[in-house]
């Protein structure tokens, strides 16, 4: 081949491209997900799920919300545009859109419905994430890796429950009291409820469940036929949000 | 050949300077966004994709439309398009570059962008979109550059180029199909959850892209010695006509399904866009303008007497381009988030920095387009002389 500056540059370019391919090969060769390792007292299950008993839920009570948001360093920006929330109130018509009708019992209309991530069996957010920053664990919990998320917000478009939040700005100055037990996030990443994996790993119930004095939130293993959650599901009529979408949500509502 | 872009008239340099100023302003705003976060945009938890992703979606269509000149020339040996294939391909290069820049501008965590390569995820449409867009960019650069270089030397293009050219034809279809899949596969976003979204995208793309190309051909003829040819321009006009009518038809299909079935989810998005939903009607004036422009363009394009007049054709193409830009580059993406999954209505207004970043990226695209067209036109002038 003719030795010219042009050819030299061409070959250098190709070599550089080759170097760029190396990490891709690496990534394909090994692919392990980060994990929260269970401690000796860890609670384990093949399928975690939650029941929200709206009959027991008390108007204007914020215990579960405050407990969750304090535990997980959820900031409060004071504006709805940037808002981050893991668990919150909705009215019936918003939690179950399309189900409401004009002649609804006043009690149903007024009741707070706690909504959170449904930890779907078939989660669309996991399907769309281009970097596997969100994935479903073997116990059914849909997890988030804040260090992996590139902030494309595909998951927010994909979630049919509006359960995902995004750090539109640096959250740290807006956290009232930082809990050193749980990481704070940086701007530009998505987040949501994780069924408190970090608490389950040390044998504690999710913060919201623990905080609820009225027993309106029940958390447990779906795979154990004798578990309290199975007993509740057996003896009550329960609803799930938007089951027609095929996401198979794992938060059940007693209305 | 790059040196051709370094000599030009005073007007050329003023245009370049103007674009560079816009890019500079846009970049400044981007640095501001980088330090403060995406909070400086109008996006929020309910409208989580805004102007950036909407522009990206529209421009993928413009990029894909290069196939409308490449296919007739290379597959059907339609000679009149031979002179302008390179213009189509260079338009694709600039459009794809803008697409990629819009995606980057939208990322919350730009420093992690290579995670897309580091953790390849085949079940994610975003992953595939990144791949097809980058390869399409590469294909068009290689094809256009080598054909132009061969033309300059007065030799036929190298034989190894042919398979790449054939590959670029289905590839153009793929980029817009994959982009449509970003939306059309999401449960619970009813406006997007429609099987005809990909063909709707292609329909509007094959109208908007060639419409822009007609305008560019008319400009090139006015400011240079290179004439793309009356026949080529007229036939581009015909393509725009058919594609515009097809895309109007597709929108009508969406209306039928929604309003005849009366399924609320299907109606909401269209109602929000065209009539307003529960008093929220920010996009209604835009969509009305888009509708009127589409109707005017369709009438002017269908009538052979008006289409054959190049001034009127240019006007009709501008109307087509603006109309479809509103439909896809504003309406479709934003209205997909209305109402939100909890059936609440939140509206979106882009902020000034967001608009300036958007303008800066458009200016970058036009800078690339100008430089590439300058090179192409200079080569063509040189060959003709």
């Amino acid at each position: 081949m003719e030795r010219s500056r042009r050819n030299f540059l061409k070959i250098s370019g190709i070599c550089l491209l080759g170097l760029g391919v190396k990490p891709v090969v690496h990534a394909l060769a090994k692919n392990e997900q980060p994990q929260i390792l269970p401690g000796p007292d860890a609670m384990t299950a093949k399928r975690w799920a939650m029941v929200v008993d709206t009959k027991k839920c008390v108007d204007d009570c914020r215990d579960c919300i405050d407990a969750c948001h304090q535990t997980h360093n959820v900031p409060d920006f004071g504006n709805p545009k940037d808002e981050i929330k893991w668990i919150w109130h909705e009215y019936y018509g918003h939690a179950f859109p399309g189900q409401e009708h004009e002649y609804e019992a006043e009690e149903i209309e007024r009741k707070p419905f706690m909504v959170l991530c449904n930890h779907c069996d078939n989660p669309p957010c996991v399907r769309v994430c281009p970097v596997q920053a969100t994935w479903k664990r073997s116990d059914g919990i849909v997890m988030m890796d804040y260090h992996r998320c590139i902030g494309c917000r595909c998951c927010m478009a994909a979630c049919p429950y509006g359960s995902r939040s995004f750090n539109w700005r640096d959250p740290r100055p807006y956290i009232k009291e930082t809990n050193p037990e749980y990481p704070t996030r940086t701007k530009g990443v998505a987040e949501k409820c994780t069924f408190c994996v970090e608490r389950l790993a040390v044998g504690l119930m999710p913060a919201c469940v623990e905080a609820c004095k009225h027993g309106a939130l029940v958390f447990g293993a779906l795979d154990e036929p004798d578990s309290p959650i199975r007993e509740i599901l057996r003896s009550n009529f329960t609803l799930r949000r938007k089951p027609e979408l095929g996401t198979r949500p794992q938060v059940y509502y007693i209305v | 050949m790059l040196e051709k872009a370094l000599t030009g008239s005073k007007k050329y340099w003023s245009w370049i300077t103007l674009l560079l100023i816009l890019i500079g302003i846009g970049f400044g705003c981007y640095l501001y966004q980088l330090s403060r976060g995406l909070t400086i945009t109008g996006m929020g938890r309910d409208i989580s994709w805004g102007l950036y992703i909407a522009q990206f979606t529209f421009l993928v269509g413009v990029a894909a439309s290069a196939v409308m000149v490449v296919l007739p020339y290379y597959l059907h040996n339609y000679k009149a398009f031979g002179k302008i294939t390179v213009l189509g391909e260079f338009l694709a290069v600039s459009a794809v570059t803008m697409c990629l820049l819009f995606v980057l501008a939208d990322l919350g965590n730009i420093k992690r962008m290579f995670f897309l390569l580091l953790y390849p995820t085949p079940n994610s449409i975003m992953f595939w979109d990144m791949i097809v867009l980058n390869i399409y960019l590469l294909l068009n650069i290689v094809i256009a550059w080598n054909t132009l270089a061969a033309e300059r030397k007065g030799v036929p293009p190298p034989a190894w180029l042919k398979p790449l050219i054939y590959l670029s034809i289905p590839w153009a279809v793929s980029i817009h199909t994959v982009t449509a899949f970003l939306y059309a596969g999401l449960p619970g976003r009813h406006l997007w959850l429609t099987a005809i979204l990909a063909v709707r995208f292609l329909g509007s793309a094959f109208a908007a892209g060639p419409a822009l190309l007609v305008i560019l051909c008319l400009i090139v003829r006015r400011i240079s010695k290179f004439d793309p040819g009356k026949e080529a321009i007229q036939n581009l006009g015909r393509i725009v006509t058919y594609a515009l009518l097809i895309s109007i038809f597709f929108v009508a299909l969406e209306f039928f399904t929604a309003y005849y079935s009366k399924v609320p989810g299907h109606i909401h998005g269209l109602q929000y866009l065209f009539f307003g939903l529960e008093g929220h009607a920010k996009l209604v004036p835009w969509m009305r303008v888009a509708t009127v422009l589409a109707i005017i363009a369709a009438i002017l394009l269908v009538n052979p007497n008006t289409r054959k007049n190049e001034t009127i054709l240019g006007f009709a193409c501008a109307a087509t381009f603006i109309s479809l830009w509103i439909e896809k580059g504003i309406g479709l993406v934003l209205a997909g988030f209305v109402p939100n999954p909890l059936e609440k209505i939140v509206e979106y207004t882009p902020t000034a920095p967001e608009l300036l970043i958007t303008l800066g990226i458009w200016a970058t695209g036009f800078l690339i387009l100008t430089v590439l067209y300058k090179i192409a036109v200079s080569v063509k002038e040189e060959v003709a002389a």
Side-chain angles (χ1 to χ4, degrees):
Chain A
M1 192 193 273
E2 185 194 349
R3 215 180 304 159
S4 67
R5 181 160 56 181
R6 193 184 161 84
N7 279 328
F8 173 74
L9 285 173
K10 270 186 194 168
I11 291 166
S12 326
I14 292 167
C15 292
L16 272 176
L17 208 67
L19 281 176
V21 168
K22 199 168 167 267
V24 180
V25 174
H26 265 288
L28 281 172
K30 73 164 187 310
N31 203 348
E32 31 186 81
Q33 293 292 354
Q35 283 177 329
I36 292 182
L37 294 174
D41 314 319
M43 296 208 290
T44 53
K46 290 206 183 72
R47 209 340 158 175
W48 291 115
M50 188 180 275
V51 169
V52 180
D53 188 345
T54 60
K55 285 185 199 152
K56 292 186 181 160
C57 210
V58 177
D59 297 2
D60 304 324
C61 168
R62 285 185 52 93
D63 290 352
C64 57
I65 304 175
D66 293 338
C68 168
H69 288 183
Q70 271 159 27
T71 309
H72 299 110
N73 296 319
V74 172
D76 181 9
F77 301 114
N79 79 59
K81 184 172 96 69
D82 293 336
E83 190 179 11
I84 294 176
K85 44 191 180 186
W86 287 26
I87 179 168
W88 70 99
H89 285 160
E90 286 294 346
Y91 288 113
Y92 179 65
H94 295 300
F96 295 91
Q99 294 289 331
E100 76 280 22
H101 59 76
E102 291 168 61
Y103 313 106
E104 211 81 74
E106 217 178 288
E107 195 198 334
I108 299 270
E109 264 184 7
R110 238 193 25 238
K111 268 244 163 278
F113 279 69
M114 302 316 301
V115 295
L116 62 156
C117 171
N118 281 290
H119 295 275
C120 302
D121 243 350
N122 195 1
C125 55
V126 169
R127 198 153 60 231
V128 299
C129 178
V131 292
Q132 298 153 58
T134 188
W135 71 98
K136 200 179 87 175
R137 307 200 322 171
S138 58
D139 57 4
I141 293 177
V142 176
M143 261 303 276
M144 249 321 285
D145 183 349
Y146 310 121
H147 300 282
R148 177 73 70 84
C149 178
I150 60 170
C152 68
R153 307 190 298 293
C154 285
C155 56
M156 296 181 81
C159 176
Y161 305 103
S163 292
R164 285 184 161 265
S165 301
F166 184 72
N167 287 278
W168 298 97
R169 58 200 304 179
D170 181 11
R172 284 167 189 154
Y174 298 90
I175 302 169
K176 273 182 213 102
E177 233 179 290
T178 306
N179 169 18
E181 301 283 306
Y182 196 80
T184 55
R185 275 75 68 194
T186 53
K187 68 172 185 288
V189 299
E191 61 179 79
K192 64 171 198 73
C193 154
T194 63
F195 266 171
C196 285
V197 279
E198 80 287 357
R199 290 171 58 92
L200 296 178
V202 292
L204 293 169
M205 274 285 177
C208 57
V209 176
E210 197 182 86
C212 182
K213 293 189 288 283
H214 312 284
L217 301 174
V218 180
F219 181 80
L222 270 192
D223 52 290
E224 286 165 29
D226 303 326
S227 64
I229 190 166
R230 282 289 294 276
E231 183 48 41
I232 290 173
L233 289 174
R234 249 196 307 275
S235 50
N236 288 279
F237 172 70
T238 47
L239 286 175
R240 291 186 295 172
R241 296 172 67 200
K242 301 187 183 179
E244 72 278 9
L245 298 178
T247 53
R248 298 205 297 271
Q250 296 304 318
V251 176
Y252 298 78
Y253 290 85
I254 300 174
V255 181
Chain B
M1 295 189 290
L2 266 176
E3 73 281 0
K4 303 247 178 252
L6 299 176
T7 53
S9 62
K10 209 166 179 186
K11 267 188 192 155
Y12 172 73
W13 285 113
S14 332
W15 171 241
I16 297 274
T17 314
L18 173 71
L19 291 175
L20 285 173
I21 292 170
L22 290 176
I23 294 169
I25 296 171
F27 189 70
C29 291
Y30 180 71
L31 291 180
Y32 174 59
Q33 177 183 303
L34 208 55
S35 73
R36 290 284 314 280
L38 285 160
T39 180
I40 65 137
T41 69
M43 293 183 274
R45 69 170 291 128
D46 295 299
I47 312 276
S48 49
W49 279 337
L51 210 50
Y52 301 151
I53 292 297
Q55 300 309 293
F56 151 77
T57 309
F58 175 74
L59 287 165
V60 172
V62 174
S65 73
V67 75
M68 284 288 110
V69 287
V70 172
L71 189 146
Y73 178 61
Y74 287 103
L75 286 191
H76 300 282
N77 201 20
Y78 179 64
K79 293 276 194 296
F81 277 174
K83 286 167 94 173
I84 56 165
T85 46
V86 69
L87 298 188
E89 287 154 351
F90 278 160
L91 175 59
V93 170
S94 90
V96 180
T97 312
M98 284 189 264
C99 291
L100 296 172
L101 289 175
F102 274 117
V103 173
L104 294 184
D106 188 69
L107 282 189
N109 237 311
I110 186 88
K111 60 183 183 291
R112 294 182 187 164
M113 68 176 183
F114 287 109
F115 281 13
L116 283 165
L117 294 174
L118 211 54
Y119 307 106
T121 310
N123 52 276
S124 162
I125 302 294
M126 187 69 145
F127 166 75
W128 287 110
D129 214 19
M130 181 264 307
I131 294 199
V132 290
L133 281 173
N134 278 298
I135 292 181
Y136 189 67
L137 175 63
L138 214 63
L139 277 175
N140 276 289
I141 292 175
V142 170
I143 293 168
W145 196 263
N146 281 291
T147 14
L148 196 63
E151 191 177 333
R152 188 185 188 194
K153 288 179 197 143
V155 293
W160 56 264
L161 214 53
K162 259 290 157 62
L164 293 185
I165 292 168
Y166 291 143
L167 180 66
S168 79
I169 293 169
W171 211 272
V173 179
S174 85
I175 60 167
H176 219 19
T177 306
V178 175
T179 305
F181 285 177
L182 276 178
Y183 302 97
L186 303 181
R189 304 276 180 194
H190 297 285
L191 185 68
W192 301 337
L193 190 68
T194 162
I196 68 164
L197 197 68
V199 277
R200 245 181 87 187
F201 272 20
L202 287 166
S204 61
F206 294 159
L212 180 58
L213 201 54
V214 167
I215 297 168
L216 291 171
C217 284
L218 293 174
I219 294 172
V220 162
R221 180 154 68 191
R222 178 163 295 183
I223 61 175
S224 80
K225 290 190 210 71
F226 168 60
D227 181 7
K230 202 173 171 58
E231 196 193 331
I233 292 176
Q234 277 304 315
N235 270 320
L236 276 176
R238 282 197 192 98
I239 291 172
V240 176
T241 311
Y242 276 110
L244 176 63
L245 294 179
I246 290 171
S247 55
I248 293 172
F249 176 60
F250 284 156
V251 174
L253 292 182
E254 299 282 13
F255 265 94
F256 172 78
T257 303
Y259 280 86
Y260 195 81
S261 72
K262 292 263 185 281
V263 176
H266 289 287
I267 292 179
H268 285 154
L270 293 171
Q271 191 183 347
Y272 173 66
L273 278 176
F274 288 90
F275 314 108
L277 190 59
E278 291 169 27
H280 299 272
K282 234 175 217 174
L283 292 177
V284 173
W286 288 92
M287 294 313 287
R288 298 248 161 108
V289 170
T291 313
V292 171
L293 285 175
I295 293 169
I296 293 174
I299 294 170
L300 293 177
L301 287 168
V302 169
N303 185 343
N305 295 321
T306 42
R307 190 179 62 231
K308 279 179 185 146
N309 178 324
E310 283 190 349
T311 318
I312 299 178
L313 177 67
F315 173 77
C317 283
T320 304
F321 187 79
I322 296 168
S323 168
L324 294 173
W325 174 72
I326 294 173
E327 192 249 343
K328 204 152 88 188
I330 298 182
L332 186 99
V333 173
L334 298 182
F337 292 105
V338 179
N340 76 1
L342 299 146
E343 298 238 323
K344 293 180 184 172
I345 301 167
V346 177
E347 290 194 282
Y348 159 91
T349 315
T351 59
E354 192 177 6
L355 286 169
L356 290 172
I357 292 171
T358 305
L359 195 64
I361 295 178
W362 273 92
T364 313
F366 273 99
L367 179 70
I368 293 168
L369 188 73
T370 308
V371 166
L372 291 176
Y373 271 34
K374 176 75 172 56
I375 294 169
V377 167
S378 307
V379 167
K380 294 204 182 254
E381 283 174 343
E382 186 186 287
V383 172

